[in-house]
Amino acid sequence: QVQLVESGGGLVQPGGSLRLSCAASGLSFRNYIMSWYRQAPGKGRELVARIMDGGAVTHYADSVKGRFTISRDNAKNMVYLQMNSLKPEDTAVYYCNARVSMEFWGQGTQVTVSS
C-alpha cells in the first residue's frame, strides 16, 4: 500500500531553520506531483509548496516564497522542504501529499516556531 512518512518537524526559535523529509513507498514516485501542505490550529489546510514530477517546476505560497525550498530525489523516493527564516505563523502540522489520478497523504509532522 502507499505510504508517505514525514519527519524532521520540531520546535525551533524564530529565524531558525528546519528540513522536513517525506519518504514515499508503494507508488511510482517519479510520476507523482508532490506537495507540502500545512494546517495551523483552527485553520484549514493550505498548500505550502509543490514540485512537479520532473522536479524542474515548483510553486510556492506567497507567504513562504524566498524562505522555503521544495526538492525531490526520484532515485530515493524522497521529497524535502527546507524551511529558513521561520516565523511563529509557520507553526502548523505539515503534511506530505502525492497526487496524479489518485491522492495520498502522510500523517503529518508538527512544526512549532516559538521563543
Side-chain angles (χ1 to χ4, degrees):
Q1 73 276 20
V2 175
Q3 280 194 312
L4 301 175
V5 181
E6 301 97 335
S7 61
L11 173 64
V12 63
Q13 292 187 341
S17 298
L18 282 175
R19 188 194 194 205
L20 304 184
S21 300
C22 173
S25 60
L27 75 170
S28 298
F29 180 79
R30 62 180 64 250
N31 295 328
Y32 277 75
I33 299 167
M34 299 300 298
S35 303
W36 288 95
Y37 286 76
R38 67 186 181 187
Q39 187 165 17
K43 295 188 177 181
R45 195 171 293 190
E46 65 171 349
L47 175 67
V48 176
R50 174 168 290 152
I51 187 166
M52 303 305 285
D53 51 354
V57 179
T58 57
H59 169 78
Y60 295 93
D62 287 343
S63 58
V64 308
K65 279 181 183 176
R67 300 189 298 121
F68 291 11
T69 303
I70 188 170
S71 61
R72 65 190 295 163
D73 185 336
N74 285 345
K76 296 182 178 180
N77 287 8
M78 297 289 296
V79 62
Y80 306 99
L81 186 68
Q82 178 66 43
M83 305 186 295
N84 299 328
S85 302
L86 282 161
K87 304 176 181 179
E89 50 263 44
D90 295 318
T91 295
V93 178
Y94 283 71
Y95 297 91
C96 181
N97 172 277
R99 178 174 61 88
V100 181
S101 55
M102 298 181 67
E103 188 170 35
F104 303 99
W105 294 90
Q107 82 288 349
T109 185
Q110 176 71 47
V111 172
T112 302
V113 185
S114 175
S115 55

